[in-house]
């Protein structure tokens, strides 16, 4: 008996010691607490081992001390462990402090026992013929038991509460620990009351310690994991199919069963059903995925299908699972967003950017088809908006977009470039420019009772190089529109290479203007103006550009370009200054002549004409009457009052104002009486257009008579023959300019011409 218990105790001591070391090395947070507890179970067992082995009183007493003090240590570390294991928090540590005070008192009383024997004594008995010292408890021992059982009860309550509160799978481990502890405690109680010599319940505590070692460090509730995963899988919104290593379907979650119409019993047919419904999608490699569309257009359903392998501990494929997710909503949302980003809100046509992209894609996918780029522009759309309403304007835009849609074939791409500008790319073979122009010319929009003619201009560009930027192609189509101007019968213009050349030319010379002015490449030529005697009385300054590479450039080559882009202001300022320089020199040399300078309508936009000219003559000390100012009728077409004021101002300052190119445009004789001008320049070339010479002469005579009546002098320019000169002279004209007298010539030549006194008639 004695030996058997000894062996069991030694075995437990070694096992617990080993576990204690193992627990210490564990990386788990609870490891050190478990280790301490394991270690603390050994002293009571060691104590009992000593008791069992002693044949004399002293060692037996030592054994009892080790036993009881060991019990205190064990119960304390058990408490610490259980609190940690069950995740309890000491509330302010009050209970713990109380329990520890009781324990400390117990340890102290065993100290007193050495002198007072108040805890226990021993009595010798014979067991199986051996001397054995049995415990005789005193009052102190009762205290010890009360403390130990008290704490044990606290621990059991903690475990019990945890067992009840935890979910079933978790409560398993708590209940086993709880059960073992109850068992060990009852066993010990039995020992106390039966007064058997050996405390066999130590075996119970030893086993309890080993169980704790296992449950706290190694036990993983596999059933829990399985259950959790199964729950997750069945509650996933996507359909999940699980296959074994033979690619046989073994389970499908609820969405999977709904998707295939299969049940738990028939799920093994999943492969056939899935392959038929979603293309060949089963038995795919690991991490394979694919998108699948079921149905077409608006009713289409979209799915994302993924296959994943499941491997076992050795890394061998144990099976696979296929997930099928319905992402129709996302796809629809995406499509909607894409639509909004690529389509104009008002008309539903493509936006500019998207149309450019589509055109460029089409040009590259079928490069051999000849195509036009069209730019459609509503003429005076602002007026439509102003006269009617922005709502009506919107209606016009929608209407026009429908018109465009109806007139273009399926192989065309069209969209809204912005505002009132639309664009299209159409195959040349499927598009008749003339027919299209005709159809658009009858475009009317009705608002209630009012019917409004909408004028649409179309510029067409035939694509020659598909690699040209689409934006540039539209620029060209747009450029063609600008050539339509105000012709009410023309609605469509085709871009040609001349336009391109012209644009290039414009850019070419515009870039060089500033340098040309600074270098003196642009300079004034003078054309003589004569009186009835043929005597030179003045000159008109006309710009010439002696270009280093292009050679001699007549104003027709550059003046209109700068007039369009506003840079004419630079040219004119330069010309006026040059005229003043010449006049100042002539004044000094006693040459009594005037110079007329040209003023472009644009000058009035970009500068204070009156102030600049007055400042110039002041600077050069030139008499204002010697600098004549030529304006054209077009100047007076806009902002009349302001222009009148400026011209009045100039005349008051002593300048002579001339109306250039009279008869070329819109002004009527009637208007003339209100014009603040001193001289009327009548250009022969406008009259020589008329075949009927007599008629032309009548007109000129009338103009001259009328201007006489109004106190305005008449000047005819473009006089090329002696005959013309005589006729005009007879009609009462007093001033003449034209090749008959002189072409525009460099200043020095003009001065020589003047000195030699040409044409004394
Ligand atoms: P313009 O002001 O009407 O100038 C008269 C034009 O008629 C000049 O052409 C001149 O060379 C031409 N001409 C003169 N006599 C005859 C003739 O007997 N027969 C024919 N067939 N033509 C004659 P040019 O110099 O080529 O100037 C063309 C236009 O360029 C000018 O018309 C004027 O509007 C503009 N221009 C010239 N220089 C300037 C300038 O410095 N500033 C501005 N703003 N415009 C200028
Ligand atoms: Ca002129
Ligand atoms: Ca003229």
């Amino acid at each position: 008996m004695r030996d058997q218990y000894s062996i069991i105790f030694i075995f437990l001591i070694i096992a617990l010691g080993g576990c204690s070391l193992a627990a210490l090395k564990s990386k788990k947070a609870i490891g050190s607490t478990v280790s301490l507890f394991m270690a603390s179970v050994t002293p009571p067992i060691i104590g009992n081992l000593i008791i069992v082995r002693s044949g004399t009183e002293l060692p037996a007493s030592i054994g009892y001390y080790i036993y009881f003090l060991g019990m205190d240590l064990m119960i304390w570390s058990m408490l610490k462990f259980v609190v940690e294991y069950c995740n309890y928090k000491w509330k302010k540590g009050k209970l713990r402090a109380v329990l520890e005070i009781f324990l400390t008192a117990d340890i102290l009383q065993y100290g007193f026992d050495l002198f007072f024997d108040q805890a226990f004594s021993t009595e010798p008995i014979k067991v199986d013929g051996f001397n054995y010292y049995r415990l005789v408890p005193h009052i102190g021992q009762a205290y010890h038991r009360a403390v130990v059982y008290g704490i044990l009860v606290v621990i059991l309550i903690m475990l019990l509460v945890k067992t009840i509160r935890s979910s079933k799978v978790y409560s398993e481990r708590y209940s086993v620990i709880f059960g073992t502890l109850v068992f060990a405690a009852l066993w010990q109680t039995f020992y106390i009351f039966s007064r058997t010599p050996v405390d066999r319940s130590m075996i119970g505590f030893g086993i309890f310690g080993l169980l704790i070692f296992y449950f706290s460090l190694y036990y993983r509730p596999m059933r829990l994991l399985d259950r959790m995963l199964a729950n997750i899988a069945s509650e996933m919104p996507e359909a999940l199919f699980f296959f074994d290593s033979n690619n046989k379907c073994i389970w499908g979650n609820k969405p999977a069963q709904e998707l295939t119409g299969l049940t738990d019993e028939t799920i093994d047919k999943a492969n056939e059903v899935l392959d038929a419904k979603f293309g060949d999608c089963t038995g795919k490699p690991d991490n394979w995925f694919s998108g699948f569309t079921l149905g077409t257009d608006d009713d289409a359903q979209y799915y994302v299908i993924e296959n994943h392998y499941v491997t076992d501990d050795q890394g061998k494929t144990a099976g696979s699972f296929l997930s099928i997710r319905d992402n129709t909503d996302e796809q629809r949302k995406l499509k909607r967003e894409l639509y909004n980003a690529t389509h104009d809100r008002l008309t539903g046509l493509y936006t500019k950017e998207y149309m450019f992209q589509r055109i460029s894609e089409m040009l590259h996918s079928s490069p051999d088809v000849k195509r036009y780029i069209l730019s459609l522009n509503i003429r005076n759309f602002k007026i439509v908006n102003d006269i009617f309403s922005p709502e009506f304007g919107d209606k016009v835009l929608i209407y026009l977009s429908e018109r465009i849609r109806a007139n273009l074939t399926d192989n065309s791409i069209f969209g809204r470039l912005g505002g009132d500008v639309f664009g299209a790319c159409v195959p040349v073979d499927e598009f008749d420019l003339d027919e299209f122009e005709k159809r658009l010319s009858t475009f009317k929009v009705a608002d209630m009772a009012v019917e409004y003619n909408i004028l649409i201009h179309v510029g067409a560009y035939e694509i020659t190089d598909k690699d040209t930027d689409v934006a540039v192609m539209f620029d060209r189509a747009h450029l063609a529109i600008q050539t339509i101007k105000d012709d009410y019968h023309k609605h469509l213009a085709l871009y040609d290479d001349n336009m391109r050349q012209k644009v290039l030319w414009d850019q070419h010379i515009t870039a060089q203007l500033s340098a040309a002015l600074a270098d003196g490449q642009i300079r004034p030529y003078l054309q003589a103006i004569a009186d009835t005697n043929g005597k030179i009385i003045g000159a008109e300054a006309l710009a010439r550009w002696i270009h280093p590479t292009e050679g001699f450039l007549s104003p027709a080559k550059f003046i209109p370009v700068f007039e369009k882009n506003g840079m004419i202001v630079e040219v004119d300022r330069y010309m006026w200054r040059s005229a003043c320089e010449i006049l100042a020199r002539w004044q000094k040399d006693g040459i009594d002549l005037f110079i007329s300078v040209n003023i472009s309508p644009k000058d009035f936009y970009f500068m204070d004409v009156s102030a600049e000219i007055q400042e110039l003559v002041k600077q050069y000390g030139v008499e204002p009457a010697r600098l004549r100012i030529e304006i054209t009728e077009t100047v007076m077409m806009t902002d009349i009052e302001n222009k009148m004021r400026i011209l009045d101002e100039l005349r008051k300052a002593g300048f002579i104002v001339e109306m250039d190119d009279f008869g070329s445009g819109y002004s009527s004789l009637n208007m003339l009486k209100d014009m603040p001008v001193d001289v009327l320049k009548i250009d022969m070339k406008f009259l020589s257009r008329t075949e009927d010479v007599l008629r032309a002469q009548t007109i000129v005579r009338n103009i001259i008579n009328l201007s006489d009546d109004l106190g305005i002098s008449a000047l005819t320019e473009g006089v090329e023959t002696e005959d013309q000169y005589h006729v005009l002279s007879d009609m009462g004209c007093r001033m003449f300019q034209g090749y008959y007298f002189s072409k525009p010539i460099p200043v020095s030549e003009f001065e020589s011409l003047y000195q030699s006194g040409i044409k004394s008639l």
Side-chain angles (χ1 to χ4, degrees), residues 540 598 630 660 681:
E540 177 176 0
N598 291 284
E630 295 192 8
D660 201 359
K681 285 186 89 164

Side-chain angles (χ1 to χ4, degrees), residues 46-119:
I46 291 171
N48 271 286
L49 182 63
I50 296 171
I51 296 165
V52 171
R53 300 304 305 174
S54 343
T56 53
E57 194 184 353
L58 184 64
S61 291
I62 292 171
Y64 277 114
Y65 280 122
I66 295 173
Y67 174 23
F68 298 136
L69 289 170
M71 279 305 269
D72 283 342
L73 177 65
M74 182 186 85
I75 204 79
W76 176 76
S77 64
M78 189 193 291
L79 178 69
K80 186 171 147 61
F81 165 77
V82 169
V83 166
E84 219 172 292
Y85 188 57
C86 299
N87 255 328
Y88 282 116
K89 297 267 158 350
W90 289 110
K91 278 190 198 122
K92 290 185 189 157
K94 258 188 202 157
L95 179 62
R96 180 180 172 164
V98 170
L99 297 178
E100 282 177 359
I101 287 168
F102 281 121
L103 272 172
T104 314
D106 194 38
I107 292 163
L108 288 176
Q109 68 123 352
Y110 280 113
F112 291 129
D113 187 71
L114 290 173
F115 311 103
F116 305 111
D117 266 352
Q118 93 289 3

